[in-house]
Amino acid sequence: MKLATLKDGSRDGMLAVVSRDQKTAHLADGIAPTLQRALDDWSFIAPQLEDLSQAVNSGRAKRPFEFVPANCMAPLPRAFQWADGSVYEQHVELLTRAIHGKLPDHLWREPMMYQGGSDDFLGPCDAPVFAEEHWGIDFEPELGVILGDTPMQVKKEEALDHVRLLVLINDWSLRNLIAPELAKGFGFFHSKPATAFAPLAVTPDELGEAWQGGLARLGVAVDWNGVRFTSANAGSGARFSFIDLIVHAAKTRNLRAGAIIGSGTVSSEGNVGCIAELRARESQEEGAGGKPRTGYMKFDDRVRIDAFDTHGVSMFGAIEQQVASLRRRRATAADAAEQVATQAPAAHGSQPAPGESAYPGGEAILAAPDTPADGPAPRADTA
């Protein structure tokens, strides 16, 4: 079963079931208005969603419509918890050596995990907005699980029983802010801005044999400005699985329905997963005191992240984002507001005729930058 959350102007969107070929969708509002509502009563609601999914896939659904990823929010637009791990050896070792110069003896004693911000997730085509380019903008492709209620001290053999859905993630990082934050000894905060998600959350059975031992054995591809940056195998190079991450997260607390746990940057078999890894490798190749050749992302850069099964089928739909400048957006909004103000009629002047707007063109002017006034247009390559 594939689920998505569609934009409707609200904080939590509308839950929809999506066909396996990702061409059609059907609202699930008669079953559960939001994904969080479905997760809260999964044993009762999931079978009804599965029935609707079968109807959509067989062409028997009553009100199907075209599925457009650009119209999606994150599957969970906000969550009660977002805990991100880091299980891929290559990623951890490259960045640890880059920061500390050596690997500590206790590095792999237990999974690493931090608690990220979960109140403001980005949809698959939402622009990540940053205030400063020099903060070191970097993408991080990850897989994640969405849990049902999971008890404290859950047993390893029962951990996967609590996995409801899997997701594809872009865990944005601001690399030049990380070292100063970690030096304080209190973890990430400013260096981990809003996280983005692919349009679809899928039940584990959708992965078939690719879901084994708490790992999603999928190919993960990243394109940076239209050029293939990496293709990594998410089932290879992981020191820990989602079993270990779930048990670790539940060591001292219950995990409630809707909690999301990430794998950390997918990086394996020599295929780096992010710019920071590539820079670390470049520095090592240059020897002591070597400097990286590759810079971080710039404003207007694009990134595309997707995950595929062994047949080349996209499992979650793609994350396609363009980096945006906060200053430019504010300037655009200010210019729009000034233009509207200059077009406003005088207080005692002529009034608009019935049915006419007092602010000609105001609706279009006030539309969000880079977005048509009537909403995002469907993408031809995602129909």
Side-chain angles (χ1 to χ4, degrees), residues 227-253:
V227 177
R228 180 57 48 91
F229 177 84
T230 190
S231 294
N233 183 349
S236 176
R239 178 63 70 100
F240 300 106
S241 71
F242 279 112
I243 296 173
D244 303 302
L245 290 174
I246 294 168
V247 169
H248 182 75
K251 181 177 181 178
T252 62
R253 67 186 74 181

Side-chain angles (χ1 to χ4, degrees), residues 114-185:
Y114 78 92
Q115 195 162 27
S118 61
D119 58 334
D120 185 29
F121 290 144
L122 299 176
C125 301
D126 294 342
V129 181
F130 303 114
E132 301 292 344
E133 200 174 68
H134 64 79
W135 284 345
I137 303 166
D138 198 0
F139 46 78
E140 289 191 80
E142 303 188 13
L143 295 173
V145 293
I146 301 179
L147 303 177
D149 287 328
T150 305
M152 186 193 316
Q153 294 276 302
V154 63
K155 297 178 181 179
K156 291 189 72 168
E157 58 269 24
E158 297 174 356
L160 295 185
D161 295 340
H162 302 283
V163 173
R164 301 290 179 256
L165 298 160
L166 284 92
V167 289
L168 177 65
I169 299 166
N170 184 7
D171 181 39
W172 287 101
S173 289
L174 300 173
R175 297 296 182 186
N176 294 332
L177 301 184
I178 288 179
E181 285 197 321
L182 296 184
K184 297 176 182 178

Side-chain angles (χ1 to χ4, degrees), residues 92-337:
V92 172
E93 293 181 1
L94 275 172
L95 297 194
T96 301
R97 281 197 175 97
I99 294 173
H100 302 292
K102 62 178 182 178
L103 302 179
D105 295 336
H106 63 275
L107 181 63
W108 295 114
R109 196 168 295 164
E110 61 181 7
M112 291 187 292
M113 184 172 285
Y114 78 92
Q115 195 162 27
S118 61
D119 58 334
D120 185 29
F121 290 144
L122 299 176
C125 301
D126 294 342
V129 181
F130 303 114
E132 301 292 344
E133 200 174 68
H134 64 79
W135 284 345
I137 303 166
D138 198 0
F139 46 78
E140 289 191 80
E142 303 188 13
L143 295 173
V145 293
I146 301 179
L147 303 177
D149 287 328
T150 305
M152 186 193 316
Q153 294 276 302
V154 63
K155 297 178 181 179
K156 291 189 72 168
E157 58 269 24
E158 297 174 356
L160 295 185
D161 295 340
H162 302 283
V163 173
R164 301 290 179 256
L165 298 160
L166 284 92
V167 289
L168 177 65
I169 299 166
N170 184 7
D171 181 39
W172 287 101
S173 289
L174 300 173
R175 297 296 182 186
N176 294 332
L177 301 184
I178 288 179
E181 285 197 321
L182 296 184
K184 297 176 182 178
F186 223 49
F188 301 113
F189 193 78
H190 292 145
S191 53
K192 289 292 185 177
T195 303
F197 289 76
L200 302 176
V202 308
T203 48
D205 61 287
E206 289 288 327
L207 274 66
E209 294 183 357
W211 178 239
Q212 295 181 21
L215 289 173
R217 302 176 187 278
L218 302 171
V220 176
V222 179
D223 294 341
W224 179 9
N225 289 332
V227 177
R228 180 57 48 91
F229 177 84
T230 190
S231 294
N233 183 349
S236 176
R239 178 63 70 100
F240 300 106
S241 71
F242 279 112
I243 296 173
D244 303 302
L245 290 174
I246 294 168
V247 169
H248 182 75
K251 181 177 181 178
T252 62
R253 67 186 74 181
N254 297 313
L255 306 174
R256 293 307 184 189
I260 306 172
I261 295 181
S263 66
T265 305
V266 177
S267 169
S268 64
E269 301 172 344
N271 298 294
V272 295
C274 61
I275 302 172
E277 282 186 56
L278 178 59
R279 286 168 57 88
R281 178 173 290 172
E282 290 172 346
S283 296
Q284 292 174 15
E285 291 171 351
E286 294 293 327
K291 294 184 178 180
R293 299 181 297 276
T294 304
Y296 289 113
M297 298 187 78
K298 305 294 185 183
F299 293 141
D300 299 324
D301 277 9
R302 294 179 176 272
V303 64
R304 187 180 195 277
I305 300 173
D306 211 339
F308 305 91
D309 66 11
T310 55
H311 303 289
V313 176
S314 174
M315 294 303 303
F316 308 96
I319 299 171
E320 299 190 65
Q321 296 181 281
Q322 183 173 19
V323 176
S325 163
L326 178 62
R327 293 182 184 181
R328 287 186 202 166
R329 292 218 159 186
R330 285 178 171 171
T332 300
D335 289 345

